Amino acid sequence: MLQFFPACQAGAKKMVIFRGRTLFLRKFSSLSSHPLRVCIVGSGPAGYYTAERLLKAHQKAEVDIIDRLPTPFGLVRSGVAPDHQETKVVINQFSRVGLNERCSFFGNVNVGSSVSLSELREMYNVVVLAYGAESDRDLGVPGEGLAGIHSAREFVWWYNGHPDFSQLRPNLKSAETAVVLGQGNVALDVARILLRPTAELARTDIANHALASLQESSIRKVYLVGRRGPAQAACTAKELRELLGIKDLYVNIQEGDLIKSPADEEELKNSRIQRRVHELLSKAAISQPHPVPGQRELHFLFFRRPDEFLSSDAGNDQVAGVNFEKTVLKENGESGKQSAVGTGQFEEVECGMVLKSIGYKSVPVDGLPFDQRKGIVPNFRGRVLSNASVLDKGLYVVGWLKRGPTGIIGTNLYCAIETVESIHEDLEQGVLTTSTTPKPGREGLLQLLDSKNVKFVPFSGWEKIDMKEKHEGSQKGKPREKITTWNELLEVAHA
């Protein structure tokens, strides 16, 4: 929740309280008669929050948002679970930004093939990279390439109708058991989608192909597996409560796993969220001793890490199980947290599908400094660093590309405010200038895309997609019926 405190005089800072932090927002001074031309790469929450702050702070700012997809809003559309419609209300706020006369959307524009980063930097005073994380971390475990093993991102994009994954074919019909590696919110999302009654999902904006597959699913048992214990579970209490509240679900948690060490007690003392999660897990552990026939089952496995993915005896390269090594926690002197270490004891869990929810990963583009280990662009408060000490003038980052794939949608607002403040400071200090020959900005981008025969999707094209999806959804009692293929999205947008 945001609390605003009006500035007491022109040009003064406006104080904002956001999630307990005090932030200061400033209006940009009129440093030049020329517009400040800004290009934001990525139209997710980080990109739109940045655009909103820039448009409010600088009356001469012209902001263009480009995205490789024909649709805006990033993970709000393709990452937020379909049964979390209240979270998607933020799209209304972003749409108001998109309709601002000083803001333009360019969908179906790929940095790399459609336009290069260096070309964008030539055309704009400021380029802000906000394209998030579109890849996944690897486990490096034998058998990871077996059929039936997917990243949680791929599975989430599949059921959310992302056009890159509408043709994914997860093995739901022949498998009775699925293993989800990870215990964060995304892991809980995919487990909930697998276990929730499809009659309830049918009232959401889940992709039609996913709903049809889930209606025929044979999966009745899901294992949620974590390397550490209940005191370190990375989910939030809200997500956990929703998963545990699925109708007629048997939940299995070993009470012995809930025993707290002194180090656990210390961790829980310092985190209200983790205390609440531990309390919910403790209550669930004593709720029902055994499943009844036909009941769907959710099993929490703590203190396990995958050692090998096992293939079926049929020799078809299909995953048939996971060999887990049991772990114990050891205090890490560097981080102050407890790390999981192997014990040399192993156990197997049979399954027909594995979903890896072990973290997203950003990918670099040509000409961009990139920290492969951290998966971020090296930066100082959003300013891109060419090396440890030299600023890459005019180039900024925001969101997951800036801080790593952590936080919720609202976290991107604070992140955007910080990056916009850095842009403001650089303008005031003369690091950036708009006083010389004006940059071509939007006009230059339009000419370049035309010369390359790139048929971009404007915001009005997205509105056509939006209108069609909502209309078709209303006929089925859904918020929208998503269009899930590239061809149809582009066809509707350009109609």
Side-chain angles (χ1 to χ4, degrees), residues 408-445:
I408 59 176
I409 287 174
T411 309
N412 292 291
L413 175 57
Y414 170 74
C415 188
I417 289 172
E418 183 181 70
T419 294
V420 172
E421 279 287 296
S422 292
I423 294 170
H424 171 77
E425 290 167 5
D426 291 348
L427 277 167
E428 280 196 329
Q429 294 169 13
V431 176
L432 294 173
T433 178
T434 61
S435 59
T436 56
T437 306
K439 296 274 191 174
R442 187 172 304 159
E443 183 179 342
L445 180 60

Side-chain angles (χ1 to χ4, degrees), residues 224-264:
L224 268 171
V225 187
R227 293 176 297 110
R228 299 188 293 170
Q232 293 80 31
C235 60
T236 59
K238 179 180 181 294
E239 289 276 354
L240 179 59
R241 191 182 301 110
E242 190 173 5
L243 177 60
L244 296 174
I246 290 176
K247 189 191 311 179
D248 195 31
L249 179 69
Y250 168 73
V251 179
N252 177 260
I253 300 170
Q254 298 296 319
E255 289 190 59
D257 287 343
L258 292 159
I259 297 172
K260 294 173 284 188
S261 69
D264 289 337

Side-chain angles (χ1 to χ4, degrees), residues 8 31 102 106 127 135 146 155 205 211 227 252 263 265 278 312 314 354 359 416 454-455 475 490:
C8 57
L31 301 174
R102 291 184 287 127
F106 291 80
V127 175
S135 185
L146 288 170
F155 190 69
D205 66 352
L211 180 62
R227 293 176 297 110
N252 177 260
E265 295 279 10
H278 196 279
S312 68
V354 175
V454 176
K455 201 169 183 184
Q475 296 178 324
L490 294 173

